[in-house]
């Protein structure tokens, strides 16, 4: 299938996939904002790739390390605002999607004085459905995530390594 191709998939089926995956992405951002990302790796496959700019982390151990290193730096306030979730490719157990991310973040305790986002990015996700084909425990996980900065506040330091 090509981008946007939904042959063999009815509107309601695609709508359910869209809802499931946008809910998963929103839950991941909530975990990062409210739980320091300590459970973020649970949203990824064991061999997932997570790319920030030109830096890629492979597997859940490295993903855990990213968020563990961030938390070790001390308090940080962040809000990842996701919108424009769009399915680019849909197959039975594979979906590729893009969404827009606006990030407000700063080290320290709330309230933090800020009025502009530190980052606006496109987030490209490849999701796979895992579990037994007929099992009730089937669920979607992120197999690959690439965050491409579109706007970056000069002088701001992101909480994750990008180079």
């Amino acid at each position: 299938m090509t981008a946007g191709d939904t042959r063999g998939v009815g509107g309601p089926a695609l709508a359910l996939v869209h809802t499931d995956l946008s809910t998963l992405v929103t839950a991941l951002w909530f975990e990062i904002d409210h739980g320091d990302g300590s459970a973020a790796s649970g949203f990824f496959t064991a061999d997932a790739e997570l790319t920030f700019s030109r830096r890629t982390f492979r597997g859940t151990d490295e993903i855990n390390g990213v968020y563990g290193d961030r938390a070790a730096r001390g308090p940080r306030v962040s809000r990842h605002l996701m919108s424009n979730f769009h399915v680019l490719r849909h197959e039975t157990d594979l979906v590729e999607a893009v969404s827009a991310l606006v990030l407000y973040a700063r080290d320290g305790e709330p309230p933090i004085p800020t009025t502009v986002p530190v980052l606006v990015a496109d987030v490209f996700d490849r999701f796979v459905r895992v579990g037994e084909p007929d099992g009730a425990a089937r669920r979607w996980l992120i197999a690959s995530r690439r965050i491409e900065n579109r706007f970056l506040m000069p002088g701001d330091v992101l909480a994750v390594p990008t180079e």
Side-chain angles (χ1 to χ4, degrees):
M1 282 190 223
T2 61
D5 188 353
T6 58
R7 284 177 289 165
V9 177
L14 184 58
L16 287 173
V17 167
H18 186 280
T19 299
D20 286 348
L21 297 178
S22 62
T23 300
L24 181 137
V25 169
T26 303
L28 172 58
W29 291 132
F30 184 87
E31 159 54 31
I32 293 167
D33 289 341
H34 296 276
D36 292 331
S38 58
S41 67
F43 291 82
F44 292 86
T45 62
D47 60 348
E49 290 188 351
L50 173 59
T51 302
F52 301 99
S53 295
R54 292 183 289 266
R55 183 89 185 262
T56 299
F57 300 89
R58 291 176 177 82
T60 52
D61 287 344
E62 287 188 14
I63 293 169
N64 280 330
V66 167
Y67 292 106
D69 290 348
R70 208 305 319 133
R73 287 186 17 220
R76 182 169 178 87
V77 178
S78 68
R79 290 300 179 268
H80 294 77
L81 309 177
M82 185 274 293
S83 66
N84 301 350
F85 186 87
H86 184 76
V87 173
L88 300 171
R89 177 180 174 199
H90 177 258
E91 297 176 9
T92 303
D93 291 329
L94 173 87
V95 172
E96 292 177 357
V98 63
S99 58
L101 171 65
V102 177
L103 172 61
Y104 291 86
R106 183 96 51 223
D107 288 347
E109 297 283 350
I112 302 290
T114 187
T115 57
V116 297
V118 298
L119 170 74
V120 177
D122 288 331
V123 180
F124 294 90
D125 287 314
R126 184 170 34 90
F127 302 92
V128 294
R129 195 164 17 203
V130 298
E132 294 301 317
D134 295 327
R138 287 182 56 83
R139 62 188 183 122
W140 291 100
L141 292 175
I142 300 168
S144 174
R145 165 168 277 194
R146 186 177 79 251
I147 300 174
E148 292 185 4
N149 302 336
R150 296 298 177 223
F151 301 94
L152 187 62
M153 193 66 180
D156 275 339
V157 176
L158 297 178
V160 296
T162 58
E163 299 296 325

